[in-house]
Amino acid sequence: MISAAGVRYAAGRAGVVLGLMAGVVLSSGAAFAGSQPMVTGGLTSQPIGHYDFCRLNPSECSIKQRDPGPEQLSGALWRKIVAINVSVNAAVKPMNDIDIYGRDEVWAYPDKGVGDCEDYVLEKRRMLNREGVSLANLLITVVRKPDGEGHAVLTVRTSQGEFILDNLTDAVRPWDETGYNYLKRQSTENTGRWVSIREGQTTLVGSVR
């Protein structure tokens, strides 16, 4: 797990950000009301890193569920979302898979305090699920950054829109205000399946064919 010292530092940092961001949704929810949800397509290829993660953690990738609909967003939940995004960003040191494991596309929990974008996503997803958010509303998502590089973020589906948790920023943003091109994400009904996002055209990360 992330070290206690890292969590303490992150908690202080989260408090500062929460002071700036708490209530954003509830006080100005109308600003997000017009934001359309992502339009997903059919089943698509699973990123190779997630395939290997599932091979090592089969119980995490075999959860089938009926889509319960977006999570009801309250002030308390918003504060948890922001705090977890900030705390994980602060507690995990960015490091690429080559330097950590000697090879690319390794998806793992950042239990040693280091990781790349997918590892941040896995930890945020785990922490929010422990807070009671359904896995159907915590979706690992593959995007393309404006510079063309592949990247992974966490999409949180809520009653006031779909929000992105990103290791590159402490701001929790509506999905269509990130500047990313969305390619694919986990299915809401099966944690081991992936669906396309219609805005995206090509996938930059390795996929199982």
Side-chain angles (χ1 to χ4, degrees):
M1 297 295 292
I2 297 171
S3 71
V7 170
R8 285 195 297 272
Y9 168 74
R13 183 176 169 193
V16 173
V17 175
L18 277 167
L20 298 173
M21 295 184 66
V24 168
V25 172
L26 296 185
S27 64
S28 59
F32 300 127
S35 179
Q36 297 298 314
M38 292 183 204
V39 179
T40 57
L43 292 176
T44 190
S45 54
Q46 180 182 20
I48 189 66
H50 191 246
Y51 172 82
D52 289 338
F53 173 81
C54 290
R55 205 163 41 82
L56 296 173
N57 303 275
S59 64
E60 295 204 25
C61 301
S62 57
I63 301 170
K64 299 178 182 179
Q65 58 202 341
R66 177 175 294 180
D67 184 351
E71 207 77 21
Q72 188 64 38
L73 187 60
S74 63
L77 177 57
W78 175 251
R79 288 188 290 274
K80 287 178 183 178
I81 290 170
V82 173
I84 285 172
N85 189 56
V86 173
S87 66
V88 175
N89 285 355
V92 178
K93 178 183 178 181
M95 187 176 294
N96 64 50
D97 289 334
I98 292 292
D99 291 337
I100 302 172
Y101 305 105
R103 59 190 178 91
D104 279 326
E105 290 301 321
V106 178
W107 293 27
Y109 289 109
D111 291 339
K112 296 182 179 180
V114 296
D116 64 1
C117 58
E118 297 92 357
D119 307 340
Y120 285 85
V121 169
L122 286 169
E123 183 64 22
K124 293 171 188 180
R125 180 174 174 269
R126 174 166 69 175
M127 292 178 70
L128 281 167
N129 182 238
R130 286 175 176 172
E131 292 292 336
V133 180
S134 169
L135 290 176
N137 291 319
L138 299 170
L139 306 171
I140 307 171
T141 304
V142 172
V143 303
R144 183 194 296 132
K145 298 192 295 184
D147 64 5
E149 183 181 0
H151 184 48
V153 295
L154 182 66
T155 299
V156 182
R157 296 195 314 157
T158 81
S159 58
Q160 294 204 48
E162 298 185 2
F163 294 93
I164 299 302
L165 278 62
D166 192 343
N167 67 297
L168 300 181
T169 178
D170 286 340
V172 176
R173 300 174 291 180
W175 76 276
D176 52 0
E177 294 182 13
T178 62
Y180 293 149
N181 183 22
Y182 290 77
L183 305 174
K184 61 173 72 176
R185 75 182 188 187
Q186 283 179 296
S187 165
T188 58
E189 298 179 345
N190 188 323
T191 55
R193 298 289 182 89
W194 286 66
V195 295
S196 62
I197 299 171
R198 291 183 184 175
E199 180 190 9
Q201 298 300 313
T202 57
T203 301
L204 298 186
V205 298
S207 297
V208 177
R209 299 299 181 185

